[in-house]
Amino acid sequence: FTHPHLAKYLIAVGLVAFGDDNVTGTAQLAGPISDALVETRWSPDDQPGQRDGDRFYTATPAGVVAYDLATRAEVATIPLPGGHVPVRLALDAISHQLYVGDTAGGLWVIQTGELDAMRASSSAPVPVAVSGGSFGAAPTAMAVASDDSQVVAITTGHQLVSIDTSDGSTSASVADPAATAVIAVPATAAPGLMAVAEGADLDMRDPASLASERTVTLPEAATGLVYMDGTGQPTVYAAGGSTLSWIQPE
């Protein structure tokens, strides 16, 4: 359901109750930055004490810059081949791969496990970005399907494009001039669909075919989406104008 005033107070209460609502530190990052994301800490099943992931990534004209969240130190700058410039980032937390969309529409793949190897050994090489396909135009938003089979992007060409992660081929491309944001909704919530904000509609689409499975009407056009499942009920939050809406996929 939606309630703009309640949403405002929920956000304020959440900041006070669950996080420090003051600036507690600053750091100078290599920039300018067009996108950023966090890879949370994880450990192999057979080595539960090992610290893998736990990094912050930024997309800059020089490449993708990785920072260690524990030390806040810059770990590596990973340039894209051919001088391509990163603009959007998306993380596959299953296969531990960082997907990078560039200004020409190219898709690149960085193995984050190689950054874990650098953490374990100073002699380990910096990862190299490899081609993962093409969207045909620069992505303005990008997300990895919950089963890591597809990367879906909204492009500056007003297309919604899905790329198969197994071979870099284009699975589907559909005109979608109203699309502004896209996120993955895990299979436990809505059979592995992609939630796409399209004006005042939230369209739930199949990640491979991009076929619409169902549509939810929002009170205002959404410009940002977040999925959360730590509240006891998987929920998609859609923000737009002065309204925060939440939808519980079935």
Side-chain angles (χ1 to χ4, degrees), residues 48-203:
Q50 181 170 307
R51 183 170 73 96
D52 288 337
D54 205 21
R55 280 180 293 269
F56 179 72
Y57 300 98
T58 61
T60 78
V64 176
V65 185
Y67 299 86
D68 189 304
L69 282 175
T71 65
R72 303 185 183 181
E74 181 178 328
V75 175
T77 296
I78 307 167
L80 298 185
H84 289 288
V85 178
V87 287
R88 289 292 176 265
L89 305 174
L91 182 69
D92 174 0
I94 299 175
S95 300
H96 308 293
Q97 298 182 115
L98 180 66
Y99 287 93
V100 185
D102 71 32
T103 53
L107 179 65
W108 304 85
V109 188
I110 296 170
Q111 302 294 333
T112 66
E114 296 180 16
L115 291 165
D116 295 320
M118 288 180 62
R119 179 181 287 151
S121 171
S122 59
S123 63
V126 174
V128 174
V130 299
S131 177
S134 175
F135 295 115
T140 59
M142 195 168 75
V144 182
S146 61
D147 64 356
D148 80 355
S149 65
Q150 308 286 328
V151 180
V152 177
I154 301 166
T155 76
T156 53
H158 306 296
Q159 295 286 120
L160 191 62
V161 182
S162 181
I163 291 180
D164 190 318
T165 58
S166 67
D167 59 11
S169 63
T170 300
S171 299
S173 179
V174 298
D176 198 347
T180 55
V182 58
I183 60 170
V185 180
T188 54
L193 300 178
M194 308 300 291
V196 183
E198 301 169 344
D201 289 333
L202 183 67
D203 204 1

Side-chain angles (χ1 to χ4, degrees), residues 196-218:
V196 183
E198 301 169 344
D201 289 333
L202 183 67
D203 204 1
M204 306 298 288
R205 292 178 176 263
D206 179 85
S209 68
L210 298 179
S212 177
E213 300 288 334
R214 59 184 178 275
T215 301
V216 178
T217 301
L218 304 171

